[in-house]
Amino acid sequence: MLDINNIRTGYGAINVLWDVSISARAGQLTTIIGPNGAGKTTLLRAIMGLLPLSQGEIVYEKKVIDGTATWNMADLGVVMIPEGRMIFRDMTIEENLMMGAFPKQHRAHAQRNCERAYAMFPALHKRRHLLAGTLSGGEGQMLAMARGLMSDPRLLIIDEPSLGLAPVVVNELFETLKQLKAEGRSIILVEQNTQMALALADQVYLMQSGKVVFSKPAGEVSLSQLQDLYFGR
Ligand SMILES: Nc1ncnc2c1ncn2[C@@H]1O[C@H](COP(=O)(O)OP(=O)(O)O)[C@@H](O)[C@H]1O
Ligand SMILES: [Mg+2]
């Protein structure tokens, strides 16, 4: 579904990703793990067209998409839920959701998608007229996910959704991811919670210092093996 082929990119003169190749298969959850500063967010930004490539290409459903403007990615069925959630605190929950339906072709289905989001996240429905700034961290993450779903994406790209959440909320979050996968959505998940990510993933990539150092089907890798690699033991 998505093939990242041998890309290099970075910020201005500073190169961050070195010859990175990653494939995400349709209907699968692909997880990318690795320490802080490994280049995971940079990779997601490159997919979303926020950074120009100096080498390689990004192919989505057999079309080269690098160079596609970020605001056109939702039209292709690709949505990113960024690190830090980026919700509008001074808008209501429902207004935040409607922002996710901003691209023209999604507006017609906004009501239906909104109802679907509420069915998935009943806590948001109860508070739909409250300001998003009143939500807890976990609810804020749910809102960010719900907003991402408003354009009915086929590929969801999620950056560290469990960051800063209490363990019980992290469990809920992974239940939601499981449900999204069961709906047939493809997911690229960047996570620090290796154990949870591994349990749900089909394919695992480990990044370090801007490179992919390890890639395997999730069923063939154990947590301890991954941790040994992760910590360089
Ligand atoms: N906006 C930026 N400008 C310059 N360098 C950046 C920027 N964002 C990230 N970096 C650098 O790129 C590297 C990878 O960062 P990042 O992709 O955020 O890693 P990760 O998400 O794996 O923690 C780091 O060395 C970081 O300092
Ligand atoms: Mg990051």
Side-chain angles (χ1 to χ4, degrees), residues 17-31:
L17 300 185
W18 299 93
D19 313 332
V20 168
S21 295
I22 280 176
S23 289
R25 301 269 155 263
Q28 294 200 343
L29 190 147
T30 306
T31 191

Side-chain angles (χ1 to χ4, degrees), residues 91-94 96 126-135:
M91 289 167 58
T92 67
I93 285 151
E94 189 145 303
N96 265 276
K126 261 189 277 175
R127 300 179 194 184
R128 62 194 180 278
H129 300 306
L130 297 183
L131 294 183
T134 64
L135 294 177

Side-chain angles (χ1 to χ4, degrees), residues 208-219:
Q208 262 161 5
S209 311
K211 294 181 181 143
V212 172
V213 294
F214 175 92
S215 157
K216 257 196 176 171

Side-chain angles (χ1 to χ4, degrees), residues 18-179:
W18 299 93
D19 313 332
V20 168
S21 295
I22 280 176
S23 289
R25 301 269 155 263
Q28 294 200 343
L29 190 147
T30 306
T31 191
I32 303 167
I33 61 172
N36 275 333
K40 305 180 297 297
T41 297
T42 301
L43 173 67
L44 303 189
R45 286 187 188 135
I47 300 172
M48 294 308 290
L50 290 164
L51 296 172
L53 307 183
S54 60
Q55 177 191 295
E57 60 176 11
I58 300 176
V59 181
Y60 175 71
E61 296 187 327
K62 302 194 168 77
K63 286 193 206 86
V64 175
I65 59 155
D66 52 83
T68 300
T70 306
W71 52 87
N72 289 327
M73 290 299 284
D75 299 351
L76 296 176
V78 183
V79 156
M80 174 153 103
I81 297 162
E83 197 177 355
R85 290 146 210 165
M86 306 289 174
I87 56 178
F88 301 100
R89 299 178 59 84
D90 296 330
M91 289 167 58
T92 67
I93 285 151
E94 189 145 303
E95 285 165 350
N96 265 276
L97 282 181
M98 287 304 170
M99 291 302 282
F102 199 66
K104 211 173 187 171
Q105 76 277 22
H106 302 302
R107 280 178 226 161
H109 307 296
Q111 203 53 44
R112 189 193 68 200
N113 287 339
C114 194
E115 276 158 25
R116 225 180 25 200
Y118 286 145
M120 191 164 210
F121 306 104
L124 296 181
H125 182 252
K126 261 189 277 175
R127 300 179 194 184
R128 62 194 180 278
H129 300 306
L130 297 183
L131 294 183
T134 64
L135 294 177
S136 70
E139 290 161 344
Q141 184 62 41
M142 297 303 176
L143 176 56
M145 307 251 284
R147 186 182 54 195
L149 291 169
M150 286 296 287
S151 62
D152 202 10
R154 277 170 293 140
L155 175 61
L156 267 170
I157 299 176
I158 314 175
D159 197 359
E160 305 226 16
S162 73
L163 206 67
L165 302 185
V168 52
V169 186
V170 174
N171 287 339
E172 267 175 50
L173 175 78
F174 272 86
E175 275 307 310
T176 303
L177 293 174
K178 202 173 177 177
Q179 209 176 324

